[in-house]
Amino acid sequence: MRGAKNLLAAIALGMAALIALVLTGATGAAVQGGTKAGAGRLDPKPGIEKKIDELLKQMTLDEKLQQLQLDADWEITDDGARAGVGSVFSLTDPVRINHLQHIAVEQSRLHIPILFAFDTIHGYRTVFPTPLGEASSFDPSVPTADDTIGARETATVGIKQIYSPMVDLSHEPRWGRIAEGAGEDPYLGSVFAAARVEAAQGADYSALDKVVTSVKHFAAYGQPEGGREYNTTDMSEQRLRNFYLPPFKAAIEAGAGTVMCSFNAISGVPGCANHETETDILKKEWKFDGFIESDYTAVDELIRHGIAGNGADAAEAALNAGTDSEMVSTNIRDNAQQLLADHRITMGRIDDAVRRILRVKFRAGLFDQPYVDQAKATDPTSFVTAADRAAERAAAGKSMVLLKNDGGALPLDPTKSVAVIGPLGNDQHDMLGPWWGRGRDEDAVSVYDGIKAQNPDTTFVQGCTIAHTEPPDNTPNDVCGADAGFAEAVAAARTADQVVLALGESREQSGEAASRIDIDLPGLQQELIDAIKATGKPFVVVLFNGRPLTLGKVDASAPAILEAWFPGVQAGNAVADVLFGKVNPGGKLPVSFPQQVGQIPIYYNHEPTGRPCNPAAKYNSRYRDLPTCAPLYSFGYGLSYSTFELSNLRLSAQTMPRRGRISASVDVANTAGPKGDEVVQLYIHDPVASISQPVRRLRGFQRITLDPGAKKTVTFTLDAGDVGFYDNRGRFVVEPGQIDVFASTSSVGGLTASFTVR
Ligand code: BGC
């Protein structure tokens, strides 16, 4: 909501009454509370460009090409460091990092340090909840805590770049990598993207506890066709700009120093050979002056994409599109000399790529402080400190979503005995989720241990097993497979007062290369629920998973469901906090949970159709074999142990000038139950526009804590950046007319009001 920056022109859209204001650079996804727009572009270290000029003058072509090379830890050699390789990723041994850095700085001709990088996605050693889980907090302080600690731990071992945040918006629960992002909404995704960048980089990422972020995967990697990993995507300009680009833009405005181009193709053009996204939008329109690295062998994969005949073609396509650095494959380094001779690339472009990489290295302070403090880096007390564990436990608690709680099944009574049952009940490994950094299973607290710590009268029976297989071993029933024998579990349930069923996915079933066609609870877990239910004992289901699951049967059979995602190192403690009511759950879903796989893609901010869904009639947009069009659980949905009520939605005015702003206020009260959190959500809808507008779009949210009986007023401000949208020519337009406003506690229902944009 920072509003537009450059007012270009008012233009006619060919409809007499519609005059659109075209705003380039309008945020389209600004953040409540604001961010430091463009922080990364304000050169914090004057003189860097001159130093780069000096270096560039001295560099041979070979030395320039070495800078563009990004090697994996298993590829880098002493000779590579001596030759002046640009970057190395996945190497986390501080002793070896120092060894290679000493060679680069002391033995390479121009003494240029190496940039070491790592995938710190949701923590380095102190593993936080998976990002989809964190997004459920609707609280930017959660990713802030994650990235503050993650950056410090990562920087401690000598790494100055993280391949994070992953900001790929997705409508694809079949896609395993939905776990890594913030879900289906561009606004929520933008707030979280900015928060992560600001926390990891700070005001100056040369600080010893900071790192430069790489925003990925540019762009629209979250929408692979059929949800199948690495698959292609095809979309309109407006869809790209209104849904998929805003989180990237927010990250760049927050100062993100680097970007990773994606494996997938958009409309036939792979991410790392995409001039429109890399150069036209990112570098020119958004004025990004850092560098773009390719994803893993993505330059080489241009050949298999069918847009390059050989490595030279691939190098040419990638460089000319705007890719500055090649990960793992070596096509640019190997072919640039010939490509230059053939006038297929220019020295100007190579110099630009080198300049961008050196700029980031200077900003990272690597020329001044290239070495890691080995004593600190190998000191165990530098990692997973008590304070960090406490922060992680709080973050995990805030990220859990109470999906169902019939008859007050939760919270549990801590004075009564508990049987923890299920494949994930005494598990440490899976609690860390996919992309666990350098997290260690032994750091994680299992559900059983967490519950036992708060109620010693607790037993555990697994009921069925969990395996951790990787493809090509196709074992869809990794969790609770055919070997399940429930007799012992049923017996344990019978002797306990209450049962906690710990169910879900293995961590290998989520993340990269983990697409699934069936997103029901894997294996015989539903049968386990049914067996426990048959005992008549009170029970609750706690879920650990990286993606939305189809939970219709679970919902029909369990009185209470807590979505815990993969909660990180303090998993069991955080689960126990919520189950026993020490923490009142307040998370909301950042993504829709479909009833059936066949509904995918299903997301709250869809466009209307000419025949909106009506399950009671035939010729409308519905499925013949599903009596509803709704998801099982909607975006923004989540329960609490308290009851909250919204009232008195009011606007500051009836009209908003296109360059002005308007505020919406609503009262929220905790009307029953203990102290708790509610996420007040503000949506808008533009009922008549030059292109169909989503039925609702989130444009503000605030998570607030209310004592029993307490009431607060929450105010949101809207401006052109909120009510406008991108059209199919890539222009940000603000059209006059009615805007409907919804204040609610999920994407469904709530209070409404309207104003007019003039
Ligand atoms: C992933 C990236 C990751 C890279 C380096 C790739 O397979 O797509 O997200 O940053 O590997 O680990």
Side-chain angles (χ1 to χ4, degrees), residues 268-284:
V269 186
C272 297
N274 198 316
H275 194 275
E276 185 198 349
T277 50
E278 293 191 294
T279 296
D280 298 343
I281 295 177
L282 178 61
K283 290 182 176 176
K284 291 189 177 158

Side-chain angles (χ1 to χ4, degrees), residues 369-679:
Q369 307 206 54
Y371 306 121
V372 53
D373 175 347
Q374 260 172 239
K376 198 171 168 208
T378 49
D379 179 352
T381 65
S382 299
F383 305 93
V384 234
T385 64
D388 295 347
R389 283 199 297 273
E392 201 286 319
R393 181 172 180 166
K398 281 190 162 184
S399 302
M400 292 180 195
V401 186
L402 185 61
L403 296 176
K404 185 176 177 191
N405 194 19
D406 276 5
L410 282 172
L412 300 178
D413 184 342
T415 64
K416 291 186 173 168
S417 67
V418 179
V420 175
I421 292 173
L424 287 127
N426 195 18
D427 171 281
Q428 293 172 289
H429 176 83
D430 296 282
M431 296 298 112
L432 304 184
W435 290 109
W436 55 95
R438 287 288 181 257
R440 298 180 186 174
D441 292 0
E442 65 263 29
D443 289 339
V445 179
S446 77
V447 173
Y448 174 48
D449 284 338
I451 291 180
K452 206 170 41 172
Q454 295 187 33
N455 180 353
D457 195 2
T458 299
T459 54
F460 166 71
V461 173
Q462 194 174 23
C464 54
T465 57
I466 185 164
H468 300 105
T469 50
E470 293 279 9
D473 290 335
N474 289 311
T475 50
N477 295 338
D478 263 11
V479 187
C480 210
D483 59 327
F486 299 152
E488 208 193 335
V490 166
R494 288 214 169 97
T495 50
D497 296 325
Q498 46 196 351
V499 177
V500 173
L501 274 172
L503 310 174
E505 297 180 292
S506 72
R507 83 179 187 199
E508 290 79 9
Q509 287 177 322
S510 274
E512 187 172 354
S515 294
R516 293 177 58 202
I517 53 161
D518 174 354
I519 55 171
D520 282 354
L521 266 185
L524 299 176
Q525 296 185 88
Q526 182 60 46
E527 284 77 355
L528 180 58
I529 296 175
D530 296 341
I532 298 306
K533 185 183 173 80
T535 66
K537 281 291 159 96
F539 74 100
V540 300
V541 168
V542 184
L543 294 173
F544 304 91
N545 46 294
R547 53 157 58 82
L549 299 170
T550 38
L551 295 173
K553 288 183 198 151
V554 184
D555 185 82
S557 50
I561 307 172
L562 179 68
E563 175 55 81
W565 306 105
F566 291 118
V569 289
Q570 285 288 302
N573 288 332
V575 166
D577 289 343
V578 174
L579 293 182
F580 291 126
K582 271 192 189 172
V583 167
N584 190 348
K588 302 280 184 171
L589 292 180
V591 62
S592 307
F593 274 43
Q595 317 240 9
Q596 304 273 346
V597 168
Q599 288 180 296
I600 298 169
I602 184 166
Y603 48 99
Y604 86 93
N605 43 0
H606 60 87
E607 287 157 23
T609 70
R611 296 182 178 195
C613 179
N614 173 7
K618 179 169 180 186
Y619 291 100
N620 65 78
S621 187
R622 57 164 296 193
Y623 295 103
R624 189 187 173 104
D625 49 356
L626 193 66
T628 171
C629 295
L632 182 63
Y633 306 120
S634 306
F635 175 88
Y637 167 80
L639 303 172
S640 161
Y641 298 152
S642 309
T643 306
F644 297 93
E645 273 172 28
L646 298 188
S647 61
N648 194 20
L649 171 64
R650 64 260 186 208
L651 302 175
S652 60
Q654 287 311 302
T655 61
M656 185 188 100
R658 280 174 297 182
R659 285 177 228 174
R661 46 184 56 204
I662 198 166
S663 61
S665 299
V666 66
D667 300 334
V668 51
N670 180 345
T671 53
K675 178 177 172 177
D677 289 3
E678 180 56 286
V679 179

Side-chain angles (χ1 to χ4, degrees), residues 89 119 163 177 216-217 260 263 295-296 327 435 512:
F89 76 100
D119 289 280
Y163 296 148
R177 300 197 83 169
K216 67 187 188 186
H217 305 82
M260 183 184 293
F263 289 127
D295 203 342
Y296 197 113
M327 190 191 290
W435 290 109
E512 187 172 354

Side-chain angles (χ1 to χ4, degrees), residues 53-131:
D53 290 341
E54 281 310 307
L55 272 175
L56 272 172
K57 267 188 231 156
Q58 298 173 58
M59 289 172 91
T60 62
L61 175 61
D62 189 52
E63 284 165 337
K64 290 177 184 175
L65 298 178
Q66 289 294 348
Q67 282 303 308
L68 310 192
Q69 185 60 37
L70 166 50
D71 279 350
D73 64 338
W74 52 94
E75 297 176 306
I76 183 68
T77 60
D78 290 3
D79 285 345
R82 209 168 284 119
V85 74
S87 317
V88 172
F89 76 100
S90 277
L91 178 61
T92 55
D93 171 7
V95 177
R96 183 149 165 76
I97 286 176
N98 251 356
H99 169 79
L100 292 168
Q101 195 69 298
H102 273 284
I103 294 176
V105 171
E106 288 151 26
Q107 299 175 29
S108 76
R109 195 177 71 89
L110 293 172
H111 316 292
I112 300 174
I114 298 170
L115 178 63
F116 291 94
F118 188 63
D119 289 280
T120 299
I121 310 292
H122 53 111
Y124 179 81
R125 264 292 294 281
T126 305
V127 177
F128 269 65
T130 34

